[in-house]
Short mmCIF file of all heavy atoms in Angstrom, two decimals:
data_model
loop_
_atom_site.label_atom_id
_atom_site.label_comp_id
_atom_site.label_asym_id
_atom_site.label_seq_id
_atom_site.Cartn_x
_atom_site.Cartn_y
_atom_site.Cartn_z
N PHE A 1 -3.19 11.12 -12.85
CA PHE A 1 -1.61 11.20 -13.00
C PHE A 1 -1.18 11.78 -14.36
O PHE A 1 0.07 11.64 -14.63
CB PHE A 1 -1.16 9.76 -12.63
CG PHE A 1 -1.31 9.37 -11.20
CD1 PHE A 1 -2.37 8.51 -10.87
CD2 PHE A 1 -0.43 9.75 -10.28
CE1 PHE A 1 -2.50 8.04 -9.59
CE2 PHE A 1 -0.62 9.19 -8.89
CZ PHE A 1 -1.66 8.50 -8.62
N SER A 2 -2.14 12.20 -15.12
CA SER A 2 -1.60 12.72 -16.46
C SER A 2 -0.38 13.64 -16.38
O SER A 2 -0.49 14.66 -15.69
CB SER A 2 -2.75 13.42 -17.15
OG SER A 2 -2.45 13.92 -18.41
N GLY A 3 0.61 13.42 -17.17
CA GLY A 3 1.77 14.24 -17.18
C GLY A 3 2.76 14.02 -16.09
O GLY A 3 3.77 14.64 -16.01
N ILE A 4 2.36 13.05 -15.18
CA ILE A 4 3.32 12.93 -14.00
C ILE A 4 3.95 11.54 -14.12
O ILE A 4 3.35 10.45 -14.28
CB ILE A 4 2.43 12.95 -12.67
CG1 ILE A 4 1.79 14.23 -12.55
CG2 ILE A 4 3.37 12.56 -11.47
CD1 ILE A 4 0.78 14.32 -11.31
N GLU A 5 5.23 11.59 -14.05
CA GLU A 5 6.02 10.28 -14.17
C GLU A 5 6.32 9.64 -12.79
O GLU A 5 6.35 8.32 -12.75
CB GLU A 5 7.38 10.55 -14.88
CG GLU A 5 7.12 11.02 -16.30
CD GLU A 5 8.47 10.95 -17.20
OE1 GLU A 5 9.59 10.67 -16.55
OE2 GLU A 5 8.42 11.38 -18.22
N THR A 6 6.72 10.46 -11.72
CA THR A 6 6.99 9.98 -10.51
C THR A 6 6.42 10.73 -9.40
O THR A 6 6.07 11.94 -9.60
CB THR A 6 8.56 9.82 -10.25
OG1 THR A 6 9.04 11.24 -10.35
CG2 THR A 6 9.29 9.00 -11.25
N ILE A 7 6.15 10.03 -8.28
CA ILE A 7 5.64 10.69 -7.08
C ILE A 7 6.61 10.63 -5.97
O ILE A 7 7.14 9.47 -5.70
CB ILE A 7 4.30 10.10 -6.55
CG1 ILE A 7 3.17 10.15 -7.67
CG2 ILE A 7 3.86 10.64 -5.31
CD1 ILE A 7 2.66 11.55 -7.76
N ARG A 8 7.05 11.67 -5.39
CA ARG A 8 8.00 11.63 -4.29
C ARG A 8 7.28 11.46 -2.93
O ARG A 8 6.36 12.26 -2.67
CB ARG A 8 8.89 12.98 -4.36
CG ARG A 8 9.83 12.83 -5.57
CD ARG A 8 10.55 14.35 -5.63
NE ARG A 8 11.29 14.53 -4.43
CZ ARG A 8 11.13 15.64 -3.66
NH1 ARG A 8 10.09 16.49 -3.73
NH2 ARG A 8 11.95 15.88 -2.60
N MET A 9 7.78 10.66 -2.10
CA MET A 9 7.21 10.66 -0.68
C MET A 9 8.20 11.26 0.17
O MET A 9 9.47 10.86 0.23
CB MET A 9 7.07 9.14 -0.26
CG MET A 9 6.35 8.98 1.02
SD MET A 9 6.15 7.17 1.44
CE MET A 9 5.39 7.30 2.89
N VAL A 10 7.89 12.42 0.82
CA VAL A 10 8.89 13.25 1.60
C VAL A 10 8.43 13.48 2.97
O VAL A 10 7.15 13.52 3.19
CB VAL A 10 9.13 14.59 0.80
CG1 VAL A 10 9.78 14.30 -0.49
CG2 VAL A 10 7.86 15.44 0.72
N ARG A 11 9.31 13.82 3.91
CA ARG A 11 9.00 14.07 5.21
C ARG A 11 9.53 15.44 5.53
O ARG A 11 10.65 15.91 5.26
CB ARG A 11 9.66 13.15 6.17
CG ARG A 11 9.41 13.53 7.57
CD ARG A 11 10.16 12.69 8.62
NE ARG A 11 9.70 11.39 8.74
CZ ARG A 11 10.40 10.29 8.40
NH1 ARG A 11 11.63 10.50 7.87
NH2 ARG A 11 9.87 9.12 8.55
N ASP A 12 8.64 16.45 5.94
CA ASP A 12 9.03 17.65 6.34
C ASP A 12 9.89 17.62 7.56
O ASP A 12 9.51 17.12 8.66
CB ASP A 12 7.67 18.48 6.59
CG ASP A 12 8.10 20.06 6.95
OD1 ASP A 12 9.00 20.30 7.79
OD2 ASP A 12 7.32 20.78 6.39
N THR A 13 11.15 18.14 7.57
CA THR A 13 12.09 17.91 8.57
C THR A 13 11.77 18.81 9.93
O THR A 13 12.27 18.54 10.93
CB THR A 13 13.56 18.21 8.25
OG1 THR A 13 13.62 19.58 7.59
CG2 THR A 13 14.06 17.18 7.14
N ASP A 14 10.96 19.68 9.63
CA ASP A 14 10.66 20.74 10.72
C ASP A 14 9.39 20.15 11.49
O ASP A 14 9.23 20.16 12.73
CB ASP A 14 10.29 22.14 10.33
CG ASP A 14 11.61 22.82 9.74
OD1 ASP A 14 12.72 22.56 10.37
OD2 ASP A 14 11.49 23.59 8.77
N THR A 15 8.37 19.68 10.70
CA THR A 15 7.03 19.35 11.31
C THR A 15 6.88 17.80 11.37
O THR A 15 6.05 17.39 12.17
CB THR A 15 5.92 19.93 10.48
OG1 THR A 15 5.82 19.20 9.18
CG2 THR A 15 6.02 21.36 10.37
N GLY A 16 7.57 17.03 10.63
CA GLY A 16 7.48 15.54 10.64
C GLY A 16 6.24 15.17 9.76
O GLY A 16 6.04 13.88 9.55
N ILE A 17 5.59 16.03 9.06
CA ILE A 17 4.54 15.65 8.21
C ILE A 17 5.09 14.99 6.98
O ILE A 17 5.97 15.51 6.32
CB ILE A 17 3.65 16.87 7.80
CG1 ILE A 17 3.02 17.58 9.06
CG2 ILE A 17 2.54 16.39 6.92
CD1 ILE A 17 2.43 18.92 8.75
N VAL A 18 4.46 13.75 6.64
CA VAL A 18 4.88 13.17 5.36
C VAL A 18 3.87 13.38 4.40
O VAL A 18 2.68 13.40 4.55
CB VAL A 18 4.84 11.64 5.63
CG1 VAL A 18 5.16 10.76 4.36
CG2 VAL A 18 5.99 11.28 6.64
N ALA A 19 4.36 13.70 3.12
CA ALA A 19 3.40 14.16 2.09
C ALA A 19 4.00 13.53 0.75
O ALA A 19 5.17 13.19 0.57
CB ALA A 19 3.42 15.62 1.98
N PHE A 20 2.93 13.37 -0.14
CA PHE A 20 3.30 12.92 -1.60
C PHE A 20 3.39 14.18 -2.42
O PHE A 20 2.48 14.96 -2.40
CB PHE A 20 2.25 11.84 -1.93
CG PHE A 20 2.30 10.64 -1.15
CD1 PHE A 20 1.56 10.35 -0.07
CD2 PHE A 20 3.10 9.55 -1.58
CE1 PHE A 20 1.51 9.30 0.63
CE2 PHE A 20 3.09 8.46 -0.85
CZ PHE A 20 2.32 8.20 0.24
N ASP A 21 4.46 14.27 -3.22
CA ASP A 21 4.75 15.25 -4.04
C ASP A 21 4.85 15.00 -5.50
O ASP A 21 5.82 14.17 -5.70
CB ASP A 21 5.93 16.05 -3.61
CG ASP A 21 6.24 17.34 -4.39
OD1 ASP A 21 5.22 17.99 -4.83
OD2 ASP A 21 7.42 17.78 -4.44
N PRO A 22 4.13 15.36 -6.54
CA PRO A 22 3.05 16.32 -6.27
C PRO A 22 1.77 15.67 -5.73
O PRO A 22 1.57 14.50 -5.74
CB PRO A 22 2.76 16.71 -7.69
CG PRO A 22 3.13 15.67 -8.67
CD PRO A 22 4.18 15.03 -8.01
N PRO A 23 0.99 16.50 -5.03
CA PRO A 23 -0.26 15.85 -4.29
C PRO A 23 -1.46 15.69 -5.28
O PRO A 23 -2.19 16.56 -5.64
CB PRO A 23 -0.53 17.06 -3.40
CG PRO A 23 -0.18 18.33 -4.01
CD PRO A 23 1.12 17.94 -4.83
N VAL A 24 -1.45 14.42 -5.84
CA VAL A 24 -2.43 14.06 -6.78
C VAL A 24 -3.77 13.75 -5.93
O VAL A 24 -3.81 12.83 -5.16
CB VAL A 24 -1.98 12.88 -7.61
CG1 VAL A 24 -3.13 12.28 -8.53
CG2 VAL A 24 -0.83 13.17 -8.38
N LEU A 25 -4.79 14.48 -6.31
CA LEU A 25 -6.07 14.35 -5.57
C LEU A 25 -7.04 13.58 -6.39
O LEU A 25 -7.21 13.62 -7.64
CB LEU A 25 -6.63 15.70 -5.31
CG LEU A 25 -5.74 16.74 -4.54
CD1 LEU A 25 -6.34 18.00 -4.38
CD2 LEU A 25 -5.59 16.19 -3.15
N GLY A 26 -7.85 12.79 -5.65
CA GLY A 26 -8.99 11.97 -6.26
C GLY A 26 -10.12 12.90 -6.67
O GLY A 26 -10.44 13.89 -5.95
N ASP A 27 -10.79 12.53 -7.73
CA ASP A 27 -11.99 13.32 -8.14
C ASP A 27 -13.21 12.59 -7.79
O ASP A 27 -13.20 11.48 -7.05
CB ASP A 27 -11.97 13.58 -9.56
CG ASP A 27 -11.87 12.30 -10.43
OD1 ASP A 27 -12.10 11.27 -9.92
OD2 ASP A 27 -11.68 12.48 -11.71
N ALA A 28 -14.46 13.25 -8.02
CA ALA A 28 -15.68 12.63 -7.60
C ALA A 28 -15.88 11.18 -8.20
O ALA A 28 -16.38 10.36 -7.52
CB ALA A 28 -16.76 13.48 -8.25
N ALA A 29 -15.49 10.85 -9.44
CA ALA A 29 -15.59 9.60 -10.03
C ALA A 29 -14.72 8.66 -9.27
O ALA A 29 -15.25 7.55 -8.91
CB ALA A 29 -15.22 9.68 -11.54
N PHE A 30 -13.60 8.95 -8.76
CA PHE A 30 -12.71 8.13 -7.99
C PHE A 30 -13.32 7.72 -6.68
O PHE A 30 -13.47 6.66 -6.35
CB PHE A 30 -11.34 8.79 -7.78
CG PHE A 30 -10.55 8.14 -6.88
CD1 PHE A 30 -9.78 7.07 -7.19
CD2 PHE A 30 -10.30 8.65 -5.47
CE1 PHE A 30 -8.89 6.45 -6.23
CE2 PHE A 30 -9.48 7.85 -4.57
CZ PHE A 30 -8.76 6.84 -5.02
N TYR A 31 -13.94 8.72 -5.98
CA TYR A 31 -14.49 8.46 -4.64
C TYR A 31 -15.85 7.72 -4.83
O TYR A 31 -16.16 6.92 -3.98
CB TYR A 31 -14.61 9.69 -3.84
CG TYR A 31 -13.38 10.13 -3.23
CD1 TYR A 31 -12.58 11.13 -3.73
CD2 TYR A 31 -12.88 9.32 -2.15
CE1 TYR A 31 -11.33 11.40 -3.27
CE2 TYR A 31 -11.68 9.65 -1.60
CZ TYR A 31 -10.88 10.69 -2.09
OH TYR A 31 -9.57 11.05 -1.61
N ASN A 32 -16.52 8.02 -5.87
CA ASN A 32 -17.77 7.13 -6.07
C ASN A 32 -17.44 5.73 -6.37
O ASN A 32 -18.22 4.78 -5.90
CB ASN A 32 -18.47 7.69 -7.31
CG ASN A 32 -19.29 9.03 -7.09
OD1 ASN A 32 -19.59 9.29 -5.77
ND2 ASN A 32 -19.48 9.82 -8.04
N ALA A 33 -16.35 5.44 -7.08
CA ALA A 33 -15.95 4.09 -7.30
C ALA A 33 -15.55 3.38 -5.92
O ALA A 33 -15.84 2.22 -5.70
CB ALA A 33 -14.80 4.04 -8.24
N LEU A 34 -14.91 4.12 -5.00
CA LEU A 34 -14.50 3.52 -3.78
C LEU A 34 -15.73 3.35 -2.91
O LEU A 34 -15.84 2.27 -2.30
CB LEU A 34 -13.55 4.47 -3.11
CG LEU A 34 -12.04 4.38 -3.34
CD1 LEU A 34 -11.23 5.39 -2.52
CD2 LEU A 34 -11.58 2.91 -3.11
N ARG A 35 -16.72 4.21 -2.96
CA ARG A 35 -17.93 3.97 -2.18
C ARG A 35 -18.64 2.81 -2.55
O ARG A 35 -19.64 2.42 -1.82
CB ARG A 35 -18.74 5.28 -2.16
CG ARG A 35 -18.07 6.45 -1.29
CD ARG A 35 -19.08 7.52 -1.12
NE ARG A 35 -18.46 8.56 -0.33
CZ ARG A 35 -17.88 9.64 -0.78
NH1 ARG A 35 -17.99 9.97 -2.27
NH2 ARG A 35 -17.40 10.63 -0.18
N ALA A 36 -18.45 2.31 -3.73
CA ALA A 36 -19.21 1.08 -4.22
C ALA A 36 -18.68 -0.09 -3.40
O ALA A 36 -19.48 -1.09 -3.30
CB ALA A 36 -18.93 0.90 -5.68
#
């Protein structure tokens, strides 16, 4: 989340898809920690 202060949770009014903006993605270290 470096440099990011807030995450917006938004719904696309045309498609109904809900997304988090900006889309912060997990890296390999993050998923390795979860798989533990």
Side-chain angles (χ1 to χ4, degrees):
F1 292 94
S2 178
I4 299 173
E5 293 187 1
T6 59
I7 300 289
R8 297 170 59 242
M9 185 178 180
V10 299
R11 179 187 289 113
D12 186 311
T13 55
D14 293 325
T15 66
I17 299 171
V18 172
F20 293 89
D21 184 30
V24 178
L25 302 173
D27 57 10
F30 171 78
Y31 281 102
N32 285 337
L34 273 180
R35 288 193 180 97

